Amino acid sequence: MTLRRIPLLLVTLLSASMALAANPPKPPVSDIAAGLLSIKIDGMQDLPISGLKMVKSGEQTVFISSNGRFAFYGGKLMDIWTQQEIKELADIDRIANRIDLSRMKLKADDLGALTVGHGKAQVLVFIDPRCPYCGKVMKDLQALQDQYTFKLVMVPILGPESQNIVVQLACQLGSSDNKAKVTVRERLFKQDFASLPTDPPVQCNKEPLQKAVVTAKLFDLKGVPFLIAPDGRTHSGAPEVLADWLADKPKPSPSLPTTPATNAQNANAPEKQP
């Protein structure tokens, strides 16, 4: 599936779902208020939704997240990207907090990605060439090239200067010259862009870069680096230990600090004689 067909898929799915959904009778407002006041809350989870849009279609009302991923209609909350219903709190982490690239039919190479590594598991990383935290990720991933294949997708998040760098590097990466691709990799890893031209390239296929920018907006990127692990988990910013995050290792519990009362108690304790 191409990125251009995603909005069409969204409209198609919503239209089909609204046609099949039943119209339950609306309870009185007083009953709704009374019900909310008597609810016992067993758990709560934040949804990764930055905003909602209300869509009217005849008698149907649909609420859609601003990136078009989540839709609430017919009494159901659906993840449109994966076509799965979210029913339980556990579904938030299992479905909503992950991006399943295979279900979306989204290929990193269509976004003009630079491939680093040859491991079986694929990691998608959105970067801005000028981002220092992206530099940390690129440094850390070099030791993991046997375990993972990293797909680095450039997007100009940090302003006009980044935009020129990204365009220049993306055009070189899209050429058939293997030497140019090696040069792009070296520039990215060293974050050395001093000698790049400032004039726009004359011949360049910008379609992959355009898809990358659209995808970044679709994923609602607030910053870079933005990583998608092989199991769909996402991380905004540079992980403290990249290998541990990719392996989904739990963070160690912080050690408990010694309290003043304990210090005083220890100070007053009699000294043990040998």
Side-chain angles (χ1 to χ4, degrees), residues 4-109:
R4 293 174 179 174
R5 295 179 60 191
I6 289 177
L8 177 60
L9 172 63
L10 173 61
V11 172
T12 304
L13 287 173
L14 290 177
S15 300
S17 301
M18 288 188 291
L20 294 174
N23 291 320
K26 297 180 181 178
V29 175
S30 58
D31 291 349
I32 296 175
L36 290 174
L37 291 174
S38 63
I39 287 176
K40 178 186 175 184
I41 298 176
D42 296 318
M44 189 176 297
Q45 277 270 26
D46 289 332
L47 276 166
I49 297 177
S50 58
L52 285 175
K53 297 183 185 297
M54 183 176 177
V55 180
K56 289 287 292 182
S57 177
E59 296 298 320
Q60 291 283 354
T61 300
V62 182
F63 293 92
I64 305 175
S65 62
S66 57
N67 65 347
R69 177 172 186 181
F70 301 102
F72 185 82
Y73 57 96
K76 295 181 179 181
L77 177 62
M78 299 293 297
D79 181 351
I80 299 298
W81 292 359
T82 62
Q83 303 177 38
Q84 297 180 82
E85 183 180 0
I86 298 172
K87 299 179 180 179
E88 308 291 342
L89 291 177
D91 293 340
I92 303 298
D93 181 64
R94 185 178 63 85
I95 301 173
N97 286 336
R98 301 181 184 230
I99 296 178
D100 191 334
L101 298 174
S102 61
R103 279 181 175 267
M104 294 181 68
K105 309 297 184 184
L106 182 61
K107 296 180 180 179
D109 290 339

Side-chain angles (χ1 to χ4, degrees), residues 23 29 88 98 115 122 147 168 200 205 208 219 227 239 246:
N23 291 320
V29 175
E88 308 291 342
R98 301 181 184 230
T115 301
Q122 178 180 295
Q147 299 171 253
Q168 297 291 345
N205 177 17
F219 291 165
L227 300 88
L246 288 172

Side-chain angles (χ1 to χ4, degrees), residues 109-188:
D109 290 339
D110 292 340
L111 311 180
L114 172 67
T115 301
V116 179
H118 48 268
K120 184 178 180 180
Q122 178 180 295
V123 184
L124 185 61
V125 188
F126 287 87
I127 61 170
D128 184 304
R130 298 172 57 237
C131 159
Y133 297 103
C134 300
K136 178 186 183 305
V137 171
M138 288 188 285
K139 180 180 178 181
D140 293 344
L141 66 80
Q142 294 182 58
L144 304 172
Q145 296 184 54
D146 291 336
Q147 299 171 253
Y148 302 95
T149 295
F150 295 90
K151 297 288 187 175
L152 307 182
V153 177
M154 294 179 290
V155 286
I157 295 290
L158 302 180
E161 188 175 347
S162 290
Q163 184 172 350
N164 177 65
I165 294 172
V166 169
V167 170
Q168 297 291 345
L169 295 182
C171 290
Q172 293 180 26
L173 196 60
S175 70
S176 57
D177 186 355
N178 290 329
K179 185 178 179 180
K181 296 179 181 180
V182 172
T183 302
V184 170
R185 172 175 170 153
E186 291 176 350
R187 285 188 181 278
L188 281 176

